[in-house]
Amino acid sequence: MIMKGLLVKERYSLLSGGKILYLLVFGLAFGILGIVTRSTFFFVYMGFMLAMLPYSSLAGDELSGWESYSLTMPCTRGQYVSSKYVMTLIMLAISTAATSLLLVIYCLIYHESFEIFTHMLPICIGTSLAMPTLGLPLMLWLGNEKGKVVLVLIGCLAGVLMSFVAGLSRTATSSGTPENGIRFITTLMLVVPPVLFFISWFAAVKLFERREF
Amino acid sequence: MNAIEINGLTKVYKDFELKPFDLTLPSGCIMGLIGENGAGKSTTIKMLLGLKKCDSGTMTILGEKVDGSAQMLRDRIGVVLDNIGFPQELNAAQIDKIMQSTYTKWDSEKYFSYIDRFSLPRNKKFKNYSKGMKMRLGIAAALSHNAELLILDEPTSGLDPLVRDEIIDILNEYTLDEGHSVLISSHIVSDLEKICDYIAFLHKGRLMLCEEKDRLLEQYGFIQLTSEQLKDLEPSAILGTKEHKFAIEAIVDKNKIPQSFETQPVTIEELFIFMAKEEK
């Protein structure tokens, strides 16, 4: 029941000012651009933006004092943290559904095989989970300002890692058909981001429990 | 069962220390936690609410130990912090929906009756409320889930006298029920003097006294005397002094001074000022 109260708050916050609507429209616009330019790369944006919404709401919580006020209610710090992660998963589900619709349209227009789902969806899901996985524990532990600084530093490190992964993919590709590279990234995206997301969830609870207000 | 029991509570920061103190709020009473800015009032309240960890000591609220597992205990406590932390984009009606799903005994009817009584708009966003309106909404929420204990941290700070008076009246009403207790912190002593049964003085991290208000007002009196007369008094009789050009003002324990001295009634505010200055 208590989690429900926190999720009701998240729902109101995300719906206020039409945030979700704007991002859905933006995401769809990118999707349409992807269809028109025949580049599935643009389909990634929808999930990336929507999954970031709960993470970006942390700043508002800190500014308004909701972060500390909610802890005077009958909810645990773990429940507060979990409300953010649950909303991230809900946003991910919405964006995955919308991306799937775009992929269906794409396949129908260009007579592509629906096998594209097996590549694109894991990549979209994996990319969407990246920022919340990194950002949520940092923001919950360090607060909005410090958390963002550390996140930028990690972003730079992530860029280096992504280049390394891309290099590995090229190596995998060079040793066989391009299919091997795509399969490698797809498998990586299917396993690593979800596992990291749940590790992040656990870590965020532990870090937030140590914080003082 | 006491509403609040604090034993040996301490908190140490780099530049401030809350020295070990004991404090008891009997059930059905109102205690005013008085102190200057930075005395440690908010720190004490935040430790009671689990927002800060104490370095040592124990705390019990409504018979239950305050620790990490005190989740359902907070269902029985109404809290008003100096910064009412409702999300800025929400309105009173939406806050009701959140609270309904959070508190087991949330009473929407009572909540909206307070909203109407305080003339608060139901559909206006919280960020567009004035400071007084925000505080009244916070109080409405704190009073609407049948809490046994109210904890308020500087609820009247920055508010005009009319709003402050209204809040004092509401707290008086709340404590008509003998099962209801209140801990209220403020540096506006005159507000607390009107409603409190117990007064606790915090000064620079030290609890200087914790006593029944009526007993304090009965025990201590205000006198004017010369420096020679001051020397003749027992040091333990003198709570604090203030020197002027031609005379000395002092707050004294009436039981420890000669009957010849004519004492005048003292206010809690004067008591606190004299004690704090004497401490310096």
Side-chain angles (χ1 to χ4, degrees):
Chain A
M1 182 181 169
I2 292 149
M3 262 294 270
K4 188 184 168 194
L6 293 171
L7 291 173
V8 168
K9 179 263 166 195
E10 290 301 315
R11 178 165 63 90
Y12 282 138
S13 292
L14 294 178
L15 287 173
S16 75
K19 286 191 215 66
I20 282 184
L21 200 61
Y22 290 138
L23 289 181
L24 267 172
V25 167
F26 266 117
L28 282 170
F30 274 113
I32 290 167
L33 188 64
I35 292 171
V36 164
T37 58
R38 209 167 175 176
S39 171
T40 53
F41 169 76
F42 289 102
F43 294 169
V44 166
Y45 279 94
M46 170 96 70
F48 186 77
M49 288 190 293
L50 280 180
M52 271 187 62
L53 273 177
Y55 152 76
S56 64
S57 76
L58 281 174
D61 283 1
E62 192 178 311
L63 205 66
S64 67
W66 172 254
E67 207 176 31
S68 49
Y69 180 76
S70 64
L71 300 179
T72 69
M73 302 194 304
C75 80
T76 63
R77 292 180 181 227
Q79 285 165 336
Y80 175 82
V81 171
S82 297
S83 68
K84 301 294 180 188
Y85 279 84
V86 167
M87 282 314 284
T88 303
L89 290 173
I90 292 172
M91 291 297 110
L92 186 67
I94 293 171
S95 65
T96 304
T99 306
S100 300
L101 181 65
L102 288 168
L103 282 171
V104 166
I105 295 169
Y106 178 88
C107 291
L108 288 174
I109 289 174
Y110 296 111
H111 307 290
E112 292 266 1
S113 161
F114 286 103
E115 207 184 308
I116 200 174
F117 272 78
T118 60
H119 306 142
M120 280 309 302
L121 282 187
I123 289 172
C124 289
I125 290 170
T127 317
S128 305
L129 288 177
M131 280 299 277
T133 298
L134 285 169
L136 280 170
L138 285 173
M139 298 272 281
L140 287 163
W141 178 35
L142 299 171
N144 184 39
E145 239 174 81
K146 281 184 196 166
K148 277 186 178 166
V149 168
V150 175
L151 198 59
V152 164
L153 292 171
I154 290 178
C156 296
L157 182 66
V160 169
L161 280 173
M162 276 167 68
S163 308
F164 175 67
V165 167
L168 278 181
S169 158
R170 273 196 292 274
T171 308
T173 307
S174 68
S175 65
T177 65
E179 277 287 314
N180 285 346
I182 294 167
R183 208 171 282 142
F184 173 76
I185 291 174
T186 304
T187 310
L188 209 66
M189 288 297 200
L190 210 52
V191 174
V192 174
V195 167
L196 288 178
F197 181 78
F198 285 101
I199 292 173
S200 160
W201 190 334
F202 176 78
V205 170
K206 293 297 169 197
L207 289 169
F208 194 62
E209 281 173 354
R210 291 163 64 177
R211 201 159 145 212
E212 292 199 342
F213 294 90
Chain B
M1 179 183 71
N2 290 315
I4 296 175
E5 279 179 32
I6 295 175
N7 292 299
L9 192 69
T10 58
K11 181 73 179 172
V12 180
Y13 292 108
K14 265 188 224 166
D15 52 356
F16 173 79
E17 185 185 341
L18 191 63
K19 296 178 182 61
F21 73 90
D22 299 342
L23 185 145
T24 300
L25 170 61
S27 192
C29 297
I30 306 180
M31 176 177 282
L33 190 57
I34 295 170
E36 76 280 9
N37 293 329
K41 305 184 298 297
S42 295
T43 300
T44 302
I45 284 177
K46 285 181 177 179
M47 285 194 284
L48 276 170
L49 295 170
L51 296 176
K52 287 188 189 291
K53 290 182 176 57
C54 63
D55 290 326
S56 66
T58 58
M59 296 171 284
T60 307
I61 294 180
L62 300 171
E64 283 186 49
K65 199 173 171 193
V66 174
D67 57 25
S69 61
Q71 177 190 353
M72 290 323 293
L73 176 61
R74 291 193 288 275
D75 198 36
R76 302 159 68 193
I77 304 171
V79 177
V80 180
L81 299 176
D82 56 349
N83 176 28
I84 306 291
F86 292 136
Q88 300 290 304
E89 297 297 319
L90 304 191
N91 58 39
Q94 290 169 325
I95 288 166
D96 169 64
K97 291 277 183 277
I98 293 170
M99 298 302 183
Q100 264 181 37
S101 303
T102 305
Y103 287 101
T104 57
K105 295 180 193 170
W106 180 258
D107 187 340
S108 288
E109 214 176 295
K110 202 188 246 185
Y111 173 71
F112 285 114
S113 75
Y114 278 118
I115 296 290
D116 293 337
R117 180 177 163 181
F118 298 155
S119 306
L120 296 173
R122 294 190 186 197
N123 295 315
K124 193 174 186 176
K125 286 185 183 177
F126 186 69
K127 66 179 178 183
N128 296 325
Y129 273 25
S130 68
K131 189 169 167 122
M133 288 163 80
K134 285 180 179 176
M135 186 54 69
R136 279 179 281 185
L137 184 64
I139 290 173
L143 292 173
S144 299
H145 60 95
N146 296 308
E148 297 164 55
L149 171 67
L150 270 191
I151 296 179
L152 305 105
D153 187 13
E154 304 272 4
T156 60
S157 179
L159 301 180
D160 65 67
L162 277 173
V163 176
R164 277 165 39 201
D165 197 60
E166 194 178 1
I167 290 169
I168 299 299
D169 285 343
I170 290 159
L171 293 177
N172 265 325
E173 270 176 42
Y174 176 76
T175 52
L176 288 175
D177 184 331
E178 283 179 10
H180 289 167
S181 313
V182 178
L183 176 68
I184 174 170
S185 83
S186 182
H187 60 271
I188 306 174
V189 186
S190 51
D191 286 344
L192 300 191
E193 207 164 332
K194 293 174 196 171
I195 52 164
C196 292
D197 304 306
Y198 286 81
I199 298 286
F201 284 166
L202 263 180
H203 175 60
K204 289 186 182 174
R206 194 166 77 85
L207 185 71
M208 297 176 75
L209 66 82
C210 180
E211 191 60 80
E212 275 185 64
K213 183 192 73 179
D214 290 340
R215 199 165 152 197
L216 281 175
L217 296 176
E218 220 176 86
Q219 186 178 352
Y220 294 101
F222 187 81
I223 60 170
Q224 283 190 323
L225 65 172
T226 62
S227 50
E228 288 77 29
Q229 285 172 316
L230 184 67
K231 282 179 199 163
D232 292 337
L233 291 179
E234 263 183 66
S236 62
I238 303 163
L239 207 66
T241 58
K242 202 192 270 185
E243 288 192 25
H244 296 284
K245 203 171 178 185
F246 300 110
I248 296 170
E249 290 174 335
I251 291 184
V252 294
D253 185 338
K254 288 189 228 177
N255 299 322
K256 294 182 181 176
I257 58 167
Q259 297 287 322
S260 56
F261 277 103
E262 207 175 294
T263 59
Q264 286 166 22
V266 70
T267 64
I268 297 295
E269 188 160 3
E270 285 166 339
L271 211 57
F272 175 65
I273 290 169
F274 273 72
M275 283 182 73
K277 284 191 171 171
E278 188 70 10
E279 183 74 4
K280 275 186 190 170

